[in-house]
Amino acid sequence: MAYQENSAMTKSAGSGHPSARFAAPALVALALALCAPLCPAQEMAQDQGPAPRLASDPHADSHIAEAIRQVSAERIRQTIEKLVSFQNRSTISAQDEASIRAGTGIGAAREWIKAEFERYSKECGGCLEVKTDRFTEQPADRIPKPTEITNVYAVLGGSDAEQAKRIVLVTGHYDSRNSDTLNGTDPAPGANDDGSGTAVSLECARVLSKAVLNKIKFPATIIFLAVAGEEQGLNGSKHLAEMAKQQGWKLEAVLNNDIVGGDRSPQQDASVVRVFSEGLPAAASEAEIRRIRMLGGESDSTSRELARFIADVGRSYDAGVKPLLIFRLDRFLRGGDHYSFNQQGFAAVRFTEFREDFNHQHQTPRTENGIEYGDLPKFVDFNYVGHVARLNAATLASLASAPAPPANVKMQTKALDNDTTLTWEPSRGAAAYEVVWRSTKAPDWEYVQTVSNGTRPTLKVSKDNVIFGVRALDAAGHRSLPVVPEPER
Ligand SMILES: [Zn+2]
């Protein structure tokens, strides 16, 4: 049975009396009918013309839909099997010339990924700039001696000179491990962890660069990244995120794919992929935490808005898999590269399959008591990885097509007042704006009101009762990430 976000609710309603399962929806409908005169939507309808739409209306761009159809599960299979062929991709495995020539160790994996990006670039007339971020990590817990770590990435520059400064990024880690983090020689296939995420990054690069060749324009820049050092302590992503911060990158979104192989265990739910996002930002100062506490903004980090954006993409495009938002930084006892970006103040989320099989991660391949251990390609569902790649590609393309999110978004709180006045600065490329809002206890945006004129609307909705966001949209309907207003007194 497919897992659903509201399954807990259905379950509790269904427990006990058998008729309760059928009574519950009727009660909800009745409650909605009774509440209608008080609902924000109705309030708007009476005072301001047309009622706001539900914020969850799907809106797809046919060019993006066509681009994501090019994702190939077969290509993904080839990528993952190639990565596995390097035997051991531990960050402390071999990277000398002889090993690279022999096709073993992380050095060979790195050179192959770089060559793949270069091949895609050649196919799109040089549209990708292939780069490396190389540094030497000093000895630490899981790094016995000074070790060179290399992140490999491809940049698809934006088509608009000004908008190109905005960046969206997809990443996976190409390093692997077996049962011993300090073993750089015995097999560490890492097909799922994280051959799958690396394959997502590469496949997004292939199809979106091809889309550009087919004359689709992305005004903002897209970066396709493969990092190393994840298993030794997020070293590669930390270095790149710090570089992005130091160099002032306008990095709007980071999609980290780690363990998206859809392990073929019987309890797997291949219809969803989990999307983890932090609540309180790791980078928030004490003053910011105080403000968040005052405003009830615990569920409105930029990473959380990115997660909601992905939910919207999931409703708008047929990726083959639906995002299942998890309002939590990561799984228990685990971490990932998105956190390196969160620590530098960037919006970053983690994609991970619904149910992990821990016998197939971080394990030296072997059979014990009839149980087969090891992160092998045969446990990976390549179609599933393809679906996750489609969801990622649609998200990247949607963000890179959209105008910049509105800047300096404020909510006027100078006087006691039951209406809400919002203000913001115009965004480059915006044809209109949308104010979205939701009940303080709702997980996702519920209502949307279009603002076609000006950047200072007053809504007949009380700021005390809801959470607002403002997003920009272009003439074709591409939406930016929403920005939650700051109170201005
Ligand atoms: Zn991993």
mmCIF file of all heavy atoms in Angstrom, residues 226-241:
data_model
loop_
_atom_site.group_PDB
_atom_site.id
_atom_site.type_symbol
_atom_site.label_atom_id
_atom_site.label_comp_id
_atom_site.label_asym_id
_atom_site.label_seq_id
_atom_site.Cartn_x
_atom_site.Cartn_y
_atom_site.Cartn_z
ATOM 1 N N ALA A 226 29.321 16.802 -7.601
ATOM 2 C CA ALA A 226 29.600 15.510 -6.963
ATOM 3 C C ALA A 226 30.714 15.778 -5.960
ATOM 4 O O ALA A 226 31.790 16.250 -6.338
ATOM 5 C CB ALA A 226 30.025 14.478 -7.998
ATOM 6 N N VAL A 227 30.436 15.509 -4.692
ATOM 7 C CA VAL A 227 31.424 15.808 -3.647
ATOM 8 C C VAL A 227 32.050 14.519 -3.121
ATOM 9 O O VAL A 227 31.481 13.431 -3.244
ATOM 10 C CB VAL A 227 30.798 16.586 -2.449
ATOM 11 C CG1 VAL A 227 30.282 17.941 -2.882
ATOM 12 C CG2 VAL A 227 29.715 15.776 -1.752
ATOM 13 N N ALA A 228 33.210 14.670 -2.492
ATOM 14 C CA ALA A 228 33.869 13.546 -1.818
ATOM 15 C C ALA A 228 33.923 13.874 -0.317
ATOM 16 O O ALA A 228 33.474 14.934 0.115
ATOM 17 C CB ALA A 228 35.264 13.342 -2.386
ATOM 18 N N GLY A 229 34.422 12.931 0.454
ATOM 19 C CA GLY A 229 34.642 13.183 1.887
ATOM 20 C C GLY A 229 33.416 13.048 2.762
ATOM 21 O O GLY A 229 33.508 13.221 3.979
ATOM 22 N N GLU A 230 32.238 12.737 2.163
ATOM 23 C CA GLU A 230 31.012 12.689 2.980
ATOM 24 C C GLU A 230 31.150 11.693 4.116
ATOM 25 O O GLU A 230 30.842 12.002 5.271
ATOM 26 C CB GLU A 230 29.804 12.327 2.091
ATOM 27 C CG GLU A 230 28.457 12.693 2.708
ATOM 28 C CD GLU A 230 27.851 11.625 3.618
ATOM 29 O OE1 GLU A 230 28.380 10.501 3.674
ATOM 30 O OE2 GLU A 230 26.856 11.919 4.284
ATOM 31 N N GLU A 231 31.634 10.508 3.782
ATOM 32 C CA GLU A 231 31.707 9.436 4.795
ATOM 33 C C GLU A 231 32.794 9.681 5.841
ATOM 34 O O GLU A 231 32.788 9.051 6.895
ATOM 35 C CB GLU A 231 31.936 8.077 4.114
ATOM 36 C CG GLU A 231 30.894 7.691 3.065
ATOM 37 C CD GLU A 231 29.523 7.363 3.648
ATOM 38 O OE1 GLU A 231 29.304 7.572 4.857
ATOM 39 O OE2 GLU A 231 28.664 6.909 2.871
ATOM 40 N N GLN A 232 33.721 10.602 5.546
ATOM 41 C CA GLN A 232 34.780 10.881 6.533
ATOM 42 C C GLN A 232 34.381 12.049 7.447
ATOM 43 O O GLN A 232 35.061 12.335 8.409
ATOM 44 C CB GLN A 232 36.119 11.209 5.844
ATOM 45 C CG GLN A 232 36.550 10.231 4.759
ATOM 46 C CD GLN A 232 36.523 8.773 5.186
ATOM 47 O OE1 GLN A 232 35.743 7.987 4.662
ATOM 48 N NE2 GLN A 232 37.354 8.407 6.142
ATOM 49 N N GLY A 233 33.291 12.730 7.110
ATOM 50 C CA GLY A 233 32.839 13.853 7.946
ATOM 51 C C GLY A 233 32.379 15.054 7.142
ATOM 52 O O GLY A 233 32.601 16.198 7.551
ATOM 53 N N LEU A 234 31.705 14.835 6.030
ATOM 54 C CA LEU A 234 31.130 15.897 5.184
ATOM 55 C C LEU A 234 32.199 16.873 4.695
ATOM 56 O O LEU A 234 31.910 18.047 4.423
ATOM 57 C CB LEU A 234 30.029 16.682 5.933
ATOM 58 C CG LEU A 234 28.964 15.896 6.702
ATOM 59 C CD1 LEU A 234 27.946 16.859 7.344
ATOM 60 C CD2 LEU A 234 28.224 14.902 5.806
ATOM 61 N N ASN A 235 33.443 16.393 4.565
ATOM 62 C CA ASN A 235 34.559 17.308 4.282
ATOM 63 C C ASN A 235 34.416 18.059 2.954
ATOM 64 O O ASN A 235 34.688 19.259 2.883
ATOM 65 C CB ASN A 235 35.883 16.537 4.263
ATOM 66 C CG ASN A 235 36.059 15.678 5.500
ATOM 67 O OD1 ASN A 235 35.334 14.700 5.676
ATOM 68 N ND2 ASN A 235 36.987 16.043 6.357
ATOM 69 N N GLY A 236 34.004 17.345 1.908
ATOM 70 C CA GLY A 236 33.922 17.988 0.593
ATOM 71 C C GLY A 236 32.849 19.065 0.552
ATOM 72 O O GLY A 236 33.101 20.188 0.105
ATOM 73 N N SER A 237 31.658 18.730 1.039
ATOM 74 C CA SER A 237 30.560 19.705 0.993
ATOM 75 C C SER A 237 30.863 20.899 1.888
ATOM 76 O O SER A 237 30.515 22.036 1.560
ATOM 77 C CB SER A 237 29.244 19.050 1.402
ATOM 78 O OG SER A 237 29.327 18.466 2.685
ATOM 79 N N LYS A 238 31.526 20.642 3.010
ATOM 80 C CA LYS A 238 31.866 21.737 3.930
ATOM 81 C C LYS A 238 32.778 22.731 3.215
ATOM 82 O O LYS A 238 32.562 23.946 3.276
ATOM 83 C CB LYS A 238 32.568 21.154 5.164
ATOM 84 C CG LYS A 238 32.962 22.164 6.213
ATOM 85 C CD LYS A 238 33.453 21.436 7.479
ATOM 86 C CE LYS A 238 33.746 22.388 8.626
ATOM 87 N NZ LYS A 238 34.995 23.133 8.447
ATOM 88 N N HIS A 239 33.774 22.199 2.508
ATOM 89 C CA HIS A 239 34.714 23.071 1.803
ATOM 90 C C HIS A 239 34.003 23.878 0.726
ATOM 91 O O HIS A 239 34.204 25.086 0.591
ATOM 92 C CB HIS A 239 35.841 22.236 1.190
ATOM 93 C CG HIS A 239 36.976 23.062 0.669
ATOM 94 N ND1 HIS A 239 37.066 23.465 -0.641
ATOM 95 C CD2 HIS A 239 38.051 23.592 1.311
ATOM 96 C CE1 HIS A 239 38.167 24.198 -0.790
ATOM 97 N NE2 HIS A 239 38.777 24.284 0.373
ATOM 98 N N LEU A 240 33.126 23.219 -0.030
ATOM 99 C CA LEU A 240 32.443 23.926 -1.112
ATOM 100 C C LEU A 240 31.446 24.962 -0.576
ATOM 101 O O LEU A 240 31.349 26.072 -1.089
ATOM 102 C CB LEU A 240 31.735 22.948 -2.043
ATOM 103 C CG LEU A 240 31.371 23.651 -3.346
ATOM 104 C CD1 LEU A 240 32.053 23.006 -4.531
ATOM 105 C CD2 LEU A 240 29.887 23.749 -3.560
ATOM 106 N N ALA A 241 30.733 24.591 0.502
ATOM 107 C CA ALA A 241 29.752 25.531 1.081
ATOM 108 C C ALA A 241 30.464 26.757 1.655
ATOM 109 O O ALA A 241 29.984 27.893 1.519
ATOM 110 C CB ALA A 241 28.926 24.834 2.158
#
